[in-house]
Amino acid sequence: MWRLLILTLIAGTVASAQNTPARVDSPSETDKLKDSCFNFKGLPGCAEELFTGQPVHIAVGSMPAQNGFGAGVAYVGHKTTENWRNSWDADAVASINASWRGGVYFQFVHTPNKPIGVSFGPPKPQSNPSELPEHTVFGIYAQAISLNKLTYFGIGPSTTAAGRTFFGMTQTVIGGNVVKPLLPRLNASLHGEVNGRFVDLRASPNQPSPSIEQTYTEATAPGLTRQPGTLQLAEGFRLRPVFAADVVRLNYNFSYEQFVTPTNLNFTFQRVAIDLNHQFALYGKTTRQFESISGNGPDDCSVDPTTSSSCPKAYVRNLEGSVGLRFFTSLAMTPGGGLVPFYFQPTLGGSDIDGNASLSSYQDYRLRAPNVMLFRENFEHSIWTLPVGVTFIADEGKIALTRGSFGDGPWRHSFSAGLTLRAGGFPQVYLLFSWGGNEGTHTIANVNSGLLGGAVRPSLF
C-alpha cells in the first residue's frame, strides 16, 4: 500500500509545482455540476462531468480479471505554450478485494506552428480525413498495481483446467516513451519506450484452488521464487491508413522488445509482436472516437491534443457498424537457453492481465506460453443511433513453448456475443457471453481502465 501512497504524494507535489495552475473548464466544473446534476434533463451532462470532467473526476474501471471493479479519483491538468501542449494526470483506484492501482502520467506534445503558404486551385484530398494531425509526443510515467487474485495453470498447450492455482502480484513500472510521426499519407509513426519493471509475487490463500507455491516450483513456473528487477526496451512502427472514403481502416503495429535482468541473465530475452487490425465500416465515416490518442493520458479524453481539452459528447448522429479482421502474434527469443519468467508471458483465455479479451469461453489466463498466435473475426453494430451496440466475435488461437512448435498444439476456438458501450469519453464497456471451447462457457463484464480517447496504460507483461 505504501507504493500507492508515494504515487499519490508525487502527483500532488507535481501538480502544485506547476508554474500555471491546471486549466479549468469554462464555466467551471463546479458550475457545470450545479447546472446539470439538480434537474432530470441534465443528468447525462452530470454523468459526463462526474466521470470525465477536468481537473478532477471519478475514476472507474475493471481491475485485471479476477480482481473486481475499481473506483477512485483522477486529476487532469494542461499547460499550453507556443510550441508545446503539456498535460499530466494522476489516479488512484481500489477494488473490493483490496487490489489497487495508482499512477502519474505526463505527456509533452510538440506542436510547432506551421508556416503559412499560398496555393492555387482546389485543395488536395486528405489521405486520412477522419484522423487528427499527428504530433511528436514524449511521455513519462510511474505506475504501481497490486493484485490479490491471479490464476496460473502452467505453461504450454498441454495444461489442463485441473492445474489451476492462485497467486498475488505487485508490479511497479517506471519509464517513458516517445511517438514520432512520419509518412503522413499513411498515418505512420515510430515509437519507443524504456521501462524499469519491478515485480513481487506472493501467495494467494483461501481461494477455490491451491496457492501457486503449493503446486508449482521454479522449474514449472520460472520466476516463482525470485523476481529480479528488469530493464525493458521497445522499438516499433505503426501504420493507421484509411482508404475508400473512410470505409477501410487499417491499424498495423510492429514492435521489438528487449528484457534485460542484470542480476539474472537467465531471464534476459527478446520479443517480437505483430498486430494487424482491419476494420471495414458499413456506413463510411464513423462519428465516435475509437482509437487512443498518444498525446493524452489514460484519464484524459481530449478530442484535439493541441487546441481543446474537452471530451467528445456521448451521442451518435447516425447508424454505425463494422466488420473486423485481426491477426496477432507474440514470439519470444531466448538466446543461450534463457527463460521467459511466467509473469511476463502472454496469455489467451478470458481476459489477460491488461484487460484484453481473447478465446473468451476459457477461464481467465487459461493458456500461457512465451509464444502465442490469435486470429479474430468480429462484427459490431449500433442499436439505432444510440452509443450502445451489439457484437459477435469468433477467435482462433494457439500457444507454443518455442517459435517452431506451433504445429504441436491444437487450435482453440471461442465464440462470443454481447453488448458494447462507447459513449463520448466514458470508458468503453462490454458484456460478453462466450462459448465454443471444450471447457464450458464464460461471461465477461469489463469497464476499460482508461477513458475513450485516452492513452493506453503501460502493459503489465
Side-chain angles (χ1 to χ4, degrees):
M1 195 66 181
W2 62 271
R3 300 175 193 240
L4 179 61
L5 294 174
I6 290 175
L7 287 171
T8 303
L9 289 174
I10 291 174
T13 302
V14 171
S16 63
Q18 300 299 323
N19 293 329
T20 302
R23 181 183 184 273
V24 180
D25 294 344
S26 179
S28 70
E29 186 173 22
T30 302
D31 291 336
K32 287 185 177 182
L33 290 174
K34 289 180 179 178
D35 292 339
S36 60
C37 293
F38 296 97
N39 65 84
F40 182 77
K41 293 182 178 180
L43 289 181
C46 176
E48 286 187 42
E49 199 63 35
L50 287 173
F51 292 98
T52 69
Q54 298 180 15
V56 179
H57 65 255
I58 300 171
V60 296
S62 297
M63 299 294 284
Q66 302 295 322
N67 290 276
F69 179 80
V73 64
Y75 173 87
V76 180
H78 299 93
K79 179 182 178 181
T80 301
T81 64
E82 182 178 359
N83 294 315
W84 292 89
R85 185 265 196 184
N86 305 324
S87 65
W88 53 92
D89 61 296
D91 59 19
V93 299
S95 67
I96 196 170
N97 82 336
S99 295
W100 55 265
R101 184 193 67 243
V104 290
Y105 314 87
F106 300 86
Q107 292 75 40
F108 307 94
V109 184
H110 190 214
T111 57
N113 293 323
K114 294 184 178 180
I116 299 175
V118 178
S119 61
F120 298 94
K124 295 181 179 180
Q126 298 181 19
S127 60
N128 191 1
S130 67
E131 294 290 345
L132 296 167
E134 294 281 356
H135 301 274
T136 300
V137 180
F138 298 91
I140 302 174
Y141 43 81
Q143 175 183 281
I145 188 168
S146 178
L147 305 170
N148 289 323
K149 188 179 180 183
L150 298 168
T151 51
Y152 179 76
F153 298 82
I155 298 174
S158 61
T159 61
T160 66
R164 184 181 68 175
T165 59
F166 289 86
F167 68 97
M169 181 186 75
T170 298
Q171 182 174 166
T172 302
V173 183
I174 302 174
N177 56 26
V178 60
V179 177
K180 174 64 176 178
L182 70 161
L183 303 176
R185 294 186 64 83
L186 294 177
N187 199 15
S189 60
L190 296 173
H191 56 84
E193 65 181 28
V194 179
N195 293 316
R197 296 183 175 273
F198 306 93
V199 176
D200 183 22
L201 301 182
R202 57 183 179 271
S204 183
N206 304 318
Q207 303 292 354
S209 297
S211 185
I212 187 172
E213 78 282 357
Q214 298 175 347
T215 302
Y216 296 98
T217 65
E218 183 69 22
T220 53
L224 176 61
T225 58
R226 184 169 177 265
Q227 303 85 46
T230 300
L231 174 65
Q232 177 242 318
L233 310 174
E235 307 83 38
F237 181 61
R238 185 176 186 181
L239 291 168
R240 292 190 294 174
V242 174
F243 304 103
D246 208 25
V247 172
V248 180
R249 304 172 64 88
L250 307 182
N251 189 342
Y252 291 177
N253 200 355
F254 308 85
S255 64
Y256 173 55
E257 298 177 296
Q258 307 93 54
F259 289 75
V260 181
T261 54
T263 60
N264 186 353
L265 295 180
N266 198 41
F267 284 170
T268 294
F269 65 97
Q270 292 84 46
R271 183 159 62 198
V272 173
I274 302 173
D275 195 356
L276 308 178
N277 273 287
H278 311 77
Q279 185 185 59
F280 306 93
L282 301 181
Y283 305 106
K285 189 171 183 176
T286 60
T287 58
R288 287 178 288 176
Q289 172 67 42
F290 290 95
E291 297 291 341
S292 62
I293 299 176
S294 57
N296 289 341
D299 303 294
D300 188 356
C301 52
S302 301
V303 175
D304 189 326
T306 61
T307 62
S308 173
S309 62
S310 61
C311 294
K313 296 299 181 183
Y315 61 84
V316 178
R317 291 189 295 271
N318 53 29
L319 288 174
E320 291 183 338
S322 66
V323 175
L325 300 174
R326 182 192 181 199
F327 168 75
F328 171 78
T329 187
S330 178
L331 307 173
M333 294 164 283
T334 54
L339 300 171
V340 180
F342 81 88
Y343 47 83
F344 284 152
Q345 295 183 13
T347 63
L348 298 179
S351 297
D352 68 13
I353 199 168
D354 287 336
N356 301 311
S358 63
L359 292 177
S360 300
S361 64
Y362 290 85
Q363 296 184 59
D364 300 314
Y365 318 110
R366 173 63 183 86
L367 303 168
R368 183 187 302 261
N371 305 280
V372 302
M373 186 178 297
L374 176 72
F375 290 91
R376 165 169 289 184
E377 305 84 37
N378 72 281
F379 168 81
E380 184 175 353
H381 199 286
S382 62
I383 300 176
W384 295 291
T385 57
L386 300 174
V388 179
V390 294
T391 186
F392 301 93
I393 303 171
D395 285 344
E396 304 85 36
K398 66 165 47 182
I399 62 174
L401 294 173
T402 64
R403 299 190 307 279
S405 61
F406 271 111
D408 297 342
W411 284 99
R412 312 288 182 122
H413 303 271
S414 180
F415 305 94
S416 302
L419 299 174
T420 63
L421 172 66
R422 304 176 193 259
F426 288 105
Q428 178 188 348
V429 180
Y430 63 82
L431 175 66
L432 297 177
F433 176 75
S434 305
W435 71 96
N438 57 4
E439 297 183 6
T441 62
H442 191 185
T443 300
I444 298 177
N446 182 272
V447 180
N448 197 283
S449 62
L451 299 184
L452 271 174
V456 178
R457 298 182 186 276
S459 174
L460 297 178
F461 69 88

